[in-house]
Amino acid sequence: EHGGNLPKAAVELAKDWRTERSLQRLEAVIAVTDKKHLFLISGNGEVIEPDDGLVAIGSGGTYALAAARALMYANPRLRAEKICVKALEIASDICIYTNRNITVEVLK
């Protein structure tokens, strides 16, 4: 609908989410990305593009995000999959609602 324009599509989704009656009670956050952009979209109408290219959502998301940032800055050559797994393991050690059943799928 928006010709591959992810920023425009993200904003329109956030608008629809706020105004569409069937979606208004849905309290969630989604992460969307393409090769150029990364956004967090919430049911409150927020569209957030992180400065550092990292996002985390869920109960242990803040712990995982902090761990991912530390790992990324400590070793910038570390692959994204390794950062993801290690950050989730660290989050699972801190947050009782985050478990260690981790599956990482890499899209190419």
Side-chain angles (χ1 to χ4, degrees):
E1 186 175 321
H2 300 289
N5 185 341
L6 186 62
K8 175 73 172 164
V11 169
E12 292 303 316
L13 175 60
K15 285 181 188 177
D16 289 346
W17 201 342
R18 277 192 332 203
T19 58
E20 179 68 35
R21 195 159 230 251
S22 62
L23 297 175
Q24 285 179 345
R25 293 182 187 226
L26 178 63
E27 294 182 22
V29 177
I30 61 171
V32 296
T33 188
D34 64 9
K35 290 183 179 187
K36 295 180 182 177
H37 304 284
L38 174 63
F39 297 108
L40 281 174
I41 305 170
S42 78
N44 296 330
E46 299 167 321
V47 178
I48 301 165
E49 186 171 22
D51 294 331
D52 57 7
L54 296 172
V55 299
I57 55 179
S59 57
T62 54
Y63 303 117
L65 183 59
R69 282 185 176 142
L71 290 164
M72 188 176 84
Y73 294 124
N75 188 355
R77 293 192 176 139
L78 200 59
R79 292 178 46 160
E81 303 92 86
K82 294 285 185 185
I83 290 173
C84 178
V85 169
K86 188 63 181 165
L88 287 170
E89 289 173 348
I90 291 168
S92 72
D93 290 340
I94 299 169
C95 178
I96 63 170
Y97 301 107
T98 303
N99 64 49
R100 282 185 169 251
N101 298 328
I102 300 168
T103 302
V104 176
E105 294 187 25
V106 178
L107 305 175
K108 295 189 181 204

